[in-house]
Amino acid sequence: MAPAVNHPASVTFVDDHTHHHAHADAATYYGGVEKHSRARTYSHSQIYTSNPRRTPAFQEDWHMRARRLSHDEKHVSNPRRFLIDVEETIRVVLEQEDTDGDFQISVTDAGPKMMALGTATSNGFKTFDIRGTYMLSNLLQELALARDHNRKRIILDESRLTENPVDRLSRMIKNSFWNSLTRRIDGDGLEIITADPKNRTGRVQPRIYVPHGEPEMAEYYRKVAREKPHMNLDVVVLPPKPDDPVFVKSLNSKPGLLALAMNEVDDGKGGKTLKGIPFIVPGARFNELYNWDSYFISLGLLVDGEVQMAKGMVDHFIFEIKHYNKILNGSRSYYLCRSQPPFLTDMALQIYNQLDRTEYEANTAWLKRAIQAAIKEYHTVWVAEPRMDPKTGLSRFRPDGLGIPPETEATHFTHILEPYAAKHGLSVLEFSEKYNNGILKEPELDEYFLHDRAVRESGHDTTYRFEKRCANLATIDLQCLLYKYEVDIGTAIREVFDDELELEEDFALQPFPPTPEAYANPKRESSKSRLQNSDEWFERAEFRRQQIDKYLWNESKSLYFDYDTAQEQQILYESVTAFWALWAGCASDEQAYSLITRSLKKFEVLGGLVSGTEESRGKISLDRPNRQWDYPYAWPPHQIMTWVGMERYGYLDDAQRLAYRFLYMMTTAFVDFNGVVPEKFDAVKLSHLVDAEYGNQGIDFKMVPREGFGWMNAAYQVGLSFLNIHMRRAVATCTSPEVFFNSAASRLSESVANSGAITDPLSLAMEALNL
């Protein structure tokens, strides 16, 4: 039985969006007002009942209908539309189909997966069955969106329920998810972004920290606090050196948001005011600007034509380098000592290449600011001690910081702290407080947290690859990123700035080539003492490439490995970040060939690329649990970097195959689990229901996904650009990679056989003998 349509019996609804495309965004599709005309002449006695020619089957009779698969998408001249009462149909769908009570319709629900809806042309009198998980979950999503727009009744195109899942997900990312993940730090946006799910101090007072030297910004936020007293906003100005470890630790009990870049705009009253530049956050518990997330997000934004949004994120990074001395892990007070994998130069150049060419001078001035900021970050963070290891000339993740990282879950370090607490006869909470305050000294614990902070700076938190040694490792991923910085900076100086660039900020330039003696000498050249030219940067890049080959490349294993600068040896943990050398361009053609022909198979699984090999990770047990950046988990950064790197070296077929695998996994999850787009996947089981220390982000929503997850959204949009039409259609039908590529291989074999070519090994050997 179809859900009742509660409207007066004397009226019939007309299609109030005939001028809208069936797949328009929700605001356009549901944004109008309800329209109706006089009723048709159906028997009035039947208006609130089901079609009498059909046996009712609902609630206690639902078992009389078998579970059914979704209808295929139809392209017909007279498309079917349904007349739906929004609230009543939501109630019926959830009551009948949502058997596990999570407000989602997924393959794990045990409902009949079938529901009758009244057609619009019959004023709800005739019904048509909606079948299968995908159509019913789409129905629930559409009803939730209609409710968002205060619609009581809607006329719904069937094509919104049968929509090609690839088109639907890509459309939702472009038109909805990016908007939902957009934040601004100003009077209009503060209430949303000051919310911090990671704050476990028990104090939820919103607080914003404004950098020293920005008095107008500080006054602006004080004015916001006065005008919005209900927010109880605390405005604090930071000292000139905001990243002093002792000071940063003192903020742990009063965490807050860090101010970011703003533009001066008209206030509408003849004066000027400040307005926050919008940016995209990763989503879920990560409600602030992040470093490496933003790079991958920007790639997705560029695919979707959101160039200005991506440009604004670079503006924020320039601001962070100026005021906070680095691109921060994230824009909260507890991240002030810590950066993340550096991507600024490639991010800026990608955006610069898509800016309006008619505004050449403004674009060049913007790129100049970005490159100047990257040079400052390079010299003051990545090739400065303690991150630089002068002996090898390679860089490490090695941030400053004191005490226990405060942004983690309350119990995250309990197993580490318990033995120390027991030793002092204290509870874990009491010991943590005394240790953080420096009352109790534990050098072994200091060493542990040095490496733990380094793991968090690496972005790969956590993995057995880095356990208790990360701060000593010259990782392959960091060397590739810095090699790319050096090449990008040199290229920009040569191609855009006529081979000379003046640095406007005064900071110390680190010696080159790096040696222990040069770094031991406290004397440093000033950044303002000379112009920068491309030759020096290309020399730096070539030096780093040689050091990567010397310390990180393993010829016998055809793979790059991390180098432990303390033990002076390679760490033979097999990581997929070895393929970042292709993205950066620091691998030779021979190394690229070895990587792809001999090592790729170690990481390639059904759903794409796993972070590391099962052999390197080792056995999992109660005492040795899963880590989320190890096997069998797959993350968007690793996929995107490898796709792009393979394409760069001419291995497009391999890039397409890997992109197909990852997008297949994303699409099947989207189809089977109510539109979910998570932070990460188990690529072996093709599941987002992962059993790692932080669980998964982006999966906690009701009825309709609102945000997806930042870099997973980007991976989908970027990945689609790698697929040809045939692949895109196959992904949309959820054709397994094993089926798709085996059938493709079969077709190739057939074509070879038809051409008369010899393919079996024995015949080939005989042919060679004959020659």
Side-chain angles (χ1 to χ4, degrees), residues 144-189:
L145 294 171
R147 178 195 270 177
D148 289 349
H149 292 86
N150 300 313
R151 298 296 299 273
K152 304 298 182 191
R153 300 160 202 83
I154 57 171
I155 293 176
L156 179 65
D157 287 84
E158 182 187 12
S159 58
R160 282 181 89 85
L161 305 182
T162 60
E163 186 178 2
N164 176 314
V166 171
D167 295 344
R168 183 176 178 87
L169 176 50
S170 184
R171 172 176 67 80
M172 290 173 76
I173 291 168
K174 182 177 181 179
N175 296 336
S176 174
F177 291 176
W178 293 138
N179 291 336
S180 297
L181 290 169
T182 299
R183 302 287 184 272
R184 282 211 330 263
I185 305 182
D186 57 22
D188 295 327

Side-chain angles (χ1 to χ4, degrees), residues 37-108:
S37 65
R38 293 199 63 77
R40 298 157 72 97
T41 56
Y42 285 106
S43 168
H44 196 82
S45 64
Q46 303 291 349
I47 204 73
Y48 292 117
T49 65
S50 63
N51 186 332
R53 289 167 294 179
R54 181 181 301 230
T55 305
F58 175 57
Q59 292 178 342
E60 57 275 355
D61 294 324
W62 65 261
H63 60 277
M64 294 171 62
R65 293 188 185 184
R67 283 166 64 116
R68 298 294 298 274
L69 299 176
S70 299
H71 294 286
D72 291 332
E73 186 177 20
K74 292 181 178 62
H75 300 278
V76 292
S77 57
N78 188 21
R80 189 180 286 114
R81 294 185 174 93
F82 302 112
L83 179 57
I84 297 174
D85 183 289
V86 174
E87 292 300 331
E88 174 64 9
T89 310
I90 287 175
R91 183 191 69 76
V92 172
V93 171
L94 291 175
E95 187 175 311
Q96 176 181 310
E97 301 290 348
D98 179 25
T99 57
D100 59 6
D102 65 353
F103 292 88
Q104 298 176 20
I105 309 300
S106 64
V107 289
T108 55

Side-chain angles (χ1 to χ4, degrees), residues 475-609:
T475 68
I476 178 57
D477 29 305
L478 182 56
Q479 311 321 311
C480 292
L481 296 179
L482 294 177
Y483 173 84
K484 187 73 161 56
Y485 255 48
E486 291 152 352
V487 170
D488 286 348
I489 292 169
T491 304
I493 291 173
R494 185 183 66 193
E495 303 295 333
V496 184
F497 306 121
D498 297 326
D499 214 17
E500 54 181 40
L501 178 68
E502 182 182 4
L503 299 178
E504 294 169 14
E505 274 199 70
D506 190 9
F507 54 88
L509 298 179
Q510 300 302 328
F512 180 77
T515 62
E517 296 73 30
Y519 271 79
N521 184 349
K523 189 176 180 183
R524 291 288 184 272
E525 190 180 5
S526 165
S527 58
K528 301 187 78 166
S529 64
R530 59 180 173 83
L531 296 172
Q532 298 284 303
N533 62 61
S534 61
D535 285 348
E536 176 194 343
W537 287 97
F538 291 136
E539 284 172 23
R540 283 181 173 273
E542 178 55 24
F543 173 80
R544 189 176 296 274
R545 190 191 64 74
Q546 291 172 4
Q547 301 306 92
I548 290 171
D549 282 351
K550 178 178 178 181
Y551 290 105
L552 276 61
W553 174 248
N554 189 312
E555 183 67 37
S556 66
K557 295 184 183 296
S558 297
L559 201 64
Y560 292 97
F561 292 97
D562 303 328
Y563 182 80
D564 191 317
T565 58
Q567 295 185 13
E568 299 190 348
Q569 65 181 24
Q570 283 185 355
I571 299 299
L572 299 181
Y573 183 106
E574 295 168 324
S575 168
V576 76
T577 55
F579 291 89
W580 291 24
L582 305 181
W583 175 86
C586 60
S588 67
D589 289 341
E590 293 75 21
Q591 288 169 323
Y593 179 78
S594 287
L595 275 171
I596 290 170
T597 58
R598 295 187 60 193
S599 295
L600 178 60
K601 60 191 174 190
K602 295 179 179 179
F603 304 96
E604 184 174 354
V605 296
L606 185 58
L609 294 168

